[in-house]
Amino acid sequence: MSIYRNAVWFVKGLQEYTKSGYETAAKHFAPADLDVNLSGRSFVITGANSGIGKATAQEIANRGGIVHMVCRNKDRAEAAKDEIVERSKNQKVYVHVVDMSSAKQVWEFAQNFSQNNAVHVLINNAGCMVNQRELTEEGLEKNFATNTLGTYILTTALIPALKKAKDPRVVTVSSGGMLTQKLNTDDLQFEKGTFDGTMAYAQNKRQQVILTERWASQNKEIHFSSMHPGWADTPAVQLSMPSFHAKMQSRLRTEAMGADTTVWLAVSPAAVKQPSGLFFQDRKAVATHLPLASSRSSPQEEEKLLAVLEDLALKFKP
């Protein structure tokens, strides 16, 4: 990881990614952007039982949307669903138990879901940051399997169904941490050197931004976007980054603040007036590279990423 990129990113984060950064940005938000009725529109949200995913599901349910919560843990998902229904008085909230790190499970869900349901918006929110290298039952590194391959399979498998919908959108919750990373296609599963979970996560988030750009160029009928939620106080941050959480807790955003741009991209008429494929922070398209950071990848490197993902996806397709 570049020391320069890390230093510039952290200073930027202190100014922009914190609670005060959100409050400054929110002064310029148009409240009417989220004044929408989502009745009849179907939203698939991964990792929707806690943190930013749950806050996103709540906001969509509040506006009458049909919410499909894609979660790994059935009990936690059902408890979150009950809370969302209670608060929104919207009964159209459904749980689907899927482990996003299992390529086979993701394929099976996507195929079954698209046969039986409409989907207007896919929100790729589920994330994984394990700090020791672990392999899934399918033999894949767990961060990569969840954040990159799982996202790739679910999105590509649902694209045909999305194309049948009115105003289809795909929103991927990435991270500003990706600004510290240049795409590395030579070690996608972190087999070389000392494993660093934070670096692996940031690399996966860079991959998600590149995938969003590619999907947007290939599927003009669908509006694609990726976004950074800022530094939010979520269970995932507490678990995966305990020292960062302890030092920054008073400055972290709420889960609702972290979810704001995801919700805006998923529901607002203003969002689709922006070009497809961009990376957003606090409802604004922002640069995907830091100045002078040498983090840009070549078209050949990006093609290699896509080719590896396509091969792996087909390997596990039922």
Side-chain angles (χ1 to χ4, degrees):
M1 232 192 259
S2 157
I3 294 172
Y4 166 79
R5 288 199 294 257
N6 277 4
V8 172
W9 174 78
F10 191 72
V11 171
K12 179 182 176 69
L14 289 173
Q15 294 171 336
E16 300 176 17
Y17 302 165
T18 55
K19 185 187 296 183
S20 62
Y22 174 84
E23 289 165 346
T24 299
K27 292 174 184 175
H28 305 286
F29 291 173
D33 279 1
L34 297 184
D35 187 13
V36 291
N37 182 343
L38 302 177
S39 179
R41 285 183 67 75
S42 173
F43 296 77
V44 174
I45 309 171
T46 64
N49 64 306
S50 70
I52 289 167
K54 182 183 175 187
T56 300
Q58 185 70 66
E59 292 296 328
I60 289 168
N62 291 349
R63 291 164 175 78
I66 303 164
V67 177
H68 294 278
M69 302 170 62
V70 178
C71 306
R72 184 181 59 209
N73 185 299
K74 186 177 189 297
D75 292 342
R76 285 169 54 194
E78 291 289 352
K81 172 197 164 181
D82 291 345
E83 195 176 317
I84 290 166
V85 169
E86 174 64 27
R87 289 180 174 177
S88 66
K89 310 305 179 190
N90 179 353
Q91 298 295 324
K92 294 183 178 179
V93 182
Y94 308 97
V95 167
H96 307 268
V97 179
V98 183
D99 183 346
M100 288 297 297
S101 73
S102 167
K104 186 169 181 287
Q105 283 189 40
V106 176
W107 268 120
E108 288 172 346
F109 164 73
Q111 290 170 336
N112 293 334
F113 184 87
S114 56
Q115 286 173 5
N116 300 299
N117 303 274
V119 54
H120 295 86
V121 181
L122 167 62
I123 300 174
N124 290 311
N125 167 78
C128 174
M129 188 198 293
V130 292
N131 289 311
Q132 293 188 334
R133 192 172 185 273
E134 292 180 30
L135 297 184
T136 67
E137 290 183 3
E138 294 167 335
L140 301 172
E141 191 279 319
K142 195 168 187 178
N143 292 300
F144 171 80
T146 307
N147 301 327
T148 303
L149 184 61
T151 297
Y152 174 84
I153 292 172
L154 184 59
T155 304
T156 52
L158 289 182
I159 280 174
L162 284 158
K163 286 184 175 178
K164 296 174 186 174
K166 181 181 179 183
D167 185 17
R169 310 184 191 192
V170 175
V171 182
T172 298
V173 179
S174 179
S175 168
M178 67 91 190
L179 293 167
T180 66
Q181 291 291 305
K182 180 182 187 293
L183 177 66
N184 178 11
T185 55
D186 293 330
D187 190 23
L188 288 171
Q189 297 195 57
F190 316 107
E191 295 167 282
K192 302 171 186 174
T194 304
F195 182 79
D196 181 331
T198 304
M199 184 276 289
Y201 179 82
Q203 179 70 207
N204 295 158
K205 295 298 168 177
R206 168 63 72 190
Q207 292 159 7
Q208 289 179 340
V209 169
I210 291 168
L211 288 173
T212 296
E213 293 168 349
R214 287 301 184 110
W215 286 327
S217 69
Q218 294 165 358
N219 303 278
K220 302 295 187 185
E221 310 95 316
I222 302 170
H223 190 272
F224 290 87
S225 55
S226 57
M227 59 78 68
H228 173 41
W231 293 342
D233 190 352
T234 67
V237 170
Q238 293 176 40
L239 181 67
S240 300
M241 305 175 72
S243 59
F244 173 81
H245 181 266
K247 289 174 188 171
M248 296 293 295
Q249 188 170 11
S250 65
R251 304 176 73 170
L252 297 178
R253 298 180 177 199
T254 65
E255 293 170 348
M257 289 175 179
D260 177 83
T261 296
T262 303
V263 176
W264 182 81
L265 288 166
V267 310
S268 169
V272 288
K273 292 177 183 174
Q274 298 279 336
S276 184
L278 300 182
F279 177 68
F280 288 81
Q281 174 189 313
D282 293 333
R283 303 193 192 183
K284 280 188 174 181
V286 294
T288 55
H289 300 275
L290 294 169
L292 308 174
S294 303
S295 55
R296 297 179 188 276
S297 46
S298 69
Q300 292 77 17
E301 289 170 315
E302 295 180 7
E303 289 294 340
K304 182 178 177 182
L305 171 67
L306 287 163
V308 170
L309 292 174
E310 185 175 357
D311 287 348
L312 281 172
L314 290 174
K315 176 181 177 182
F316 295 107
K317 187 174 182 180

